Amino acid sequence: MGVAGEKFQLGTVGALSLSVVSSVSIVICNKALMSSLSFTFATTLTSWHLLVTFCSLHVALCMKLFEHKPFDARTVVGFGVLNGISIGLLNLSLGFNSVGFYQMTKLAIIPCTVILETLFFRKKFSRNIQLSLSVLLFGVGVATVTDLQLNAMGSVLSLLAIITTCIAQIMTNTIQKKFKVSSTQLLYQSCPYQALTLFVIGPFLDGFLTNKNVFAFDYTPQVLFFIVLSCLISVSVNFSTFLVIGKTSPVTYQVLGHLKTCLVLAFGYVLLHDPFSWRNILGILIAVIGMASYSYFCTRETQQKPTESSPQLSQVKESESDPLISDSLSSAENGGSAGDDEPLKVTMWSSKYSKA
């Protein structure tokens, strides 16, 4: 594997690690905020996350850490609004369904993504990959799914949430490749539309689900501290989500998401003393086996197709193959343009993680 391939692997490992650490951190922070301090306005909080992320990106742009690259405006607006709607639908799904059915909704995103990519993008998933994903989903289901209470409205909302989330994540990957934009550039342009969508629907949606007014909430210093901390961590979460999807695939991102779920369960038991049973332990172990086998078979199948992957890697822009700690910093010190190599990679956080 050439230098470009080694850079791509290093960047992917960095993106995956950052995604796991930041996402688990924000779930623990939000759990304290929502469970202990009763700040249950998940959708509104997500809009603040996106606003802080956009402001951080704008500062990075002014510092010339990345280059602004405008592209098709309708695609950007549609993508941003779709992401905002998917977040709202996931929160509605949680509001109308039991926690167990909501977990099933999240589990259904992987097979739905596989089906959509197979039908519309002719992407092939080997039997080994399919079996690994099945083991993973079974393990996460055992660990997280408890009660399954069905109702018509909740089922419709869950179906819409699954479809919009799958489409949004597939678009995250395809837009970056089609328009040759980095994850940073895509998030910078779509973030305002995501934030605006959630700013509009957030207070109404949260009020409907909680029977509370976000503007009448008692913002004590402790609440404000955790809100600011959550927003700061969200920059890192948003930084990594688009980056992971752009470097790997929507399916891999969902697999990573279930790893985070297992870690959150473990950290919740250790740090927050949440109830933990042998069923949780068994489910996590099965899920880890599924994740390990998925990673193994993906790596093996990639290595078995060097002649197919080499031309594709050679066409990838340097900005997409740079490691997370970009070599562009050293090139800038030597007189090169830091904006040419895209040292900063970013992504979007969803309130899917706000309610563990």
Side-chain angles (χ1 to χ4, degrees):
M1 191 173 294
V3 176
E6 292 175 0
K7 280 188 174 183
F8 183 83
Q9 286 188 335
L10 179 60
T12 301
V13 170
L16 294 173
S17 302
L18 177 63
S19 181
V20 170
V21 172
S22 57
S23 295
V24 171
S25 300
I26 203 169
V27 168
I28 295 174
C29 176
N30 288 347
K31 197 163 188 177
L33 182 61
M34 294 183 180
S35 299
S36 303
L37 301 176
S38 301
F39 186 86
T40 54
F41 310 103
T43 309
T44 303
L45 180 62
T46 306
S47 69
W48 297 345
H49 288 169
L50 290 166
L51 178 62
V52 172
T53 298
F54 175 74
C55 293
S56 301
L57 284 177
H58 191 70
V59 171
L61 179 64
C62 294
M63 296 173 63
K64 298 183 179 180
L65 294 179
F66 73 96
E67 181 183 359
H68 181 46
K69 185 179 179 182
F71 59 99
D72 185 56
R74 287 192 300 178
T75 300
V76 174
V77 174
F79 173 70
V81 172
L82 179 65
N83 269 298
I85 291 174
S86 72
I87 294 170
L89 285 172
L90 278 167
N91 286 337
L92 276 174
S93 173
L94 180 58
F96 275 85
N97 294 302
S98 64
V99 174
F101 192 82
Y102 174 72
Q103 291 295 342
M104 287 296 295
T105 298
K106 292 169 67 177
L107 291 176
I109 292 175
I110 282 184
C112 181
T113 303
V114 169
I115 292 172
L116 289 177
E117 290 198 307
T118 301
L119 291 177
F120 296 101
F121 295 92
R122 298 181 181 178
K123 186 172 182 178
K124 295 181 180 180
F125 297 87
S126 68
R127 289 186 179 181
N128 289 331
I129 295 293
Q130 294 175 20
L131 180 60
S132 300
L133 291 174
S134 300
V135 172
L136 165 66
L137 295 175
F138 177 74
V140 177
V142 170
T144 61
V145 177
T146 51
D147 57 321
L148 285 177
Q149 302 174 8
L150 304 179
N151 64 81
M153 178 62 72
S155 299
V156 171
L157 290 171
S158 293
L159 179 61
L160 292 175
I162 291 169
I163 294 174
T164 54
T165 300
C166 290
I167 294 175
Q169 292 182 356
I170 291 174
M171 285 181 67
T172 302
N173 183 276
T174 55
I175 288 175
Q176 291 184 53
K177 289 177 170 57
K178 179 180 179 181
F179 294 100
K180 300 293 187 295
V181 294
S182 70
S183 50
T184 315
Q185 293 166 332
L186 176 58
L187 181 61
Y188 178 71
Q189 294 185 70
S190 63
C191 204
Y193 301 105
Q194 296 178 52
L196 181 61
T197 301
L198 294 178
F199 266 128
V200 173
I201 68 174
F204 299 101
L205 184 59
D206 289 334
F208 175 74
L209 293 175
T210 64
N211 292 321
K212 297 179 182 178
N213 186 349
V214 65
F215 301 110
F217 189 79
D218 181 20
Y219 290 92
T220 64
Q222 191 176 13
V223 171
L224 291 175
F225 170 79
F226 275 98
I227 289 176
V228 172
L229 179 61
S230 178
C231 288
L232 292 176
I233 299 175
S234 75
V235 176
S236 178
V237 178
N238 294 339
F239 179 88
S240 60
T241 303
F242 278 18
L243 181 57
V244 169
I245 296 176
K247 282 183 172 293
T248 56
S249 71
V251 173
T252 298
Y253 175 72
Q254 285 298 324
V255 170
L256 188 69
H258 292 306
L259 169 61
K260 299 170 191 174
T261 300
C262 295
L263 291 175
V264 167
L265 287 173
F267 278 112
Y269 171 73
V270 174
L271 299 179
L272 304 177
H273 306 292
D274 288 342
F276 208 66
S277 66
W278 283 107
R279 174 178 173 173
N280 297 131
I281 297 174
L282 176 63
I284 289 175
L285 290 176
I286 295 174
V288 168
I289 293 173
M291 281 180 263
S293 59
Y294 172 81
S295 177
Y296 170 76
F297 288 123
C298 281
T299 303
R300 194 179 74 171
E301 291 177 13
T302 300
Q303 292 175 345
Q304 287 176 347
K305 301 177 182 178
T307 54
E308 294 180 16
S309 60
S310 295
Q312 294 175 358
L313 285 173
S314 64
Q315 293 173 3
V316 176
K317 292 183 70 175
E318 193 173 349
S319 62
E320 296 170 351
S321 59
D322 276 350
L324 192 60
I325 301 177
S326 176
D327 293 337
S328 62
L329 295 178
S330 60
S331 75
E333 291 172 357
N334 293 327
S337 172
D340 295 339
D341 292 312
E342 294 298 322
L344 189 62
K345 311 282 186 180
V346 190
T347 184
M348 147 196 86
W349 180 72
S350 164
S351 60
K352 307 161 195 174
Y353 303 123
S354 64
K355 299 189 177 184

